[in-house]
Amino acid sequence: MRRLGTVLTAVVLAGAAVSATAVSATAAPATGAAPAAAPSAACDTGGWGSALKSADARDHQPLKQIKAGQHACYDRLVFEVPTAGGKPVGYRIGYVKELHQDGSGDLIKVGGGAILEIRVAAPSYDPETGKSTYPGKAGQPLPGVDVKGYRTFKDTRFGSSFEGDTQIGLGVAKRLPFRVVQQKNQLIVDVAHS
């Protein structure tokens, strides 16, 4: 019985190796470029997870810009927030069933299979002058952010800027692992392709 189990295990592993080779071969671009690395080796998203992530607010500087980008293993949303002395920016990011605008509670429709609500401790206006620093409009797509053709991102919606926080709805293909990284004046949200 033990020998049969060993033989079956060897057959299953050999079949998996052949399947992985076939997938890599068919995934190679037809243009003659080098084949893409196997996703499991190149796309290590261990430790990302899909649970709520947050950090305390330490600096309430106004939001300047939001940009999006595509990478081999994930799609990226970058919040430009000037910080004093490189202090981390507070945030609260997690999946929600629906996006409700802060302050009014109005429902904002967000396309995609799942909604990632992103709250950044940075108002989209200058608190001292009231002048807008980021031109987002409630319920509208993010200005200058076009996610058409993205593998994971499907929609973006500006929620509000309320009590020092800016709220964004990010529509993604489905509930996928994500991570949050801070670098100098940037708060970065990466959502994995799988």
Side-chain angles (χ1 to χ4, degrees):
M1 187 63 130
R2 181 181 236 176
R3 185 177 292 167
L4 180 60
T6 304
V7 169
L8 284 176
T9 301
V11 168
V12 169
L13 289 175
V18 169
S19 294
T21 303
V23 168
S24 293
T26 59
T31 60
S40 61
C43 298
D44 181 14
T45 56
W48 286 28
S50 61
L52 177 73
K53 295 172 179 52
S54 64
D56 291 335
R58 299 198 181 139
D59 195 3
H60 285 279
Q61 297 298 315
L63 174 67
K64 296 294 182 190
Q65 185 177 14
I66 302 174
K67 300 181 282 190
Q70 300 180 67
H71 295 266
C73 301
Y74 53 85
D75 288 347
R76 171 172 280 183
L77 202 59
V78 179
F79 295 81
E80 296 282 345
V81 183
T83 60
K87 293 178 184 174
V89 176
Y91 60 87
R92 182 177 172 87
I93 304 170
Y95 284 99
V96 295
K97 289 183 182 181
E98 297 179 325
L99 182 68
H100 290 273
Q101 183 183 20
D102 278 351
S104 72
D106 290 345
L107 176 67
I108 297 175
K109 295 203 181 270
V110 182
I115 302 168
L116 196 58
E117 181 180 32
I118 303 171
R119 296 172 185 263
V120 179
S124 63
Y125 57 87
D126 184 325
E128 294 188 22
T129 66
K131 184 179 176 184
S132 175
T133 60
Y134 179 77
K137 303 286 184 222
Q140 299 299 311
L142 299 179
V145 176
D146 183 2
V147 295
K148 286 183 186 114
Y150 278 48
R151 185 166 165 191
T152 298
F153 292 172
K154 300 302 173 191
D155 193 13
T156 64
R157 296 291 160 169
F158 187 83
S160 69
S161 190
F162 185 72
E163 296 184 351
D165 284 353
T166 294
Q167 175 194 34
I168 303 296
L170 177 61
V172 296
K174 61 183 180 178
R175 187 178 177 120
L176 293 160
F178 68 96
R179 70 176 174 184
V180 182
V181 178
Q182 295 204 36
Q183 298 183 76
K184 296 184 181 177
N185 293 333
Q186 296 181 331
L187 178 72
I188 300 166
V189 180
D190 294 331
V191 184
H193 292 321
S194 60

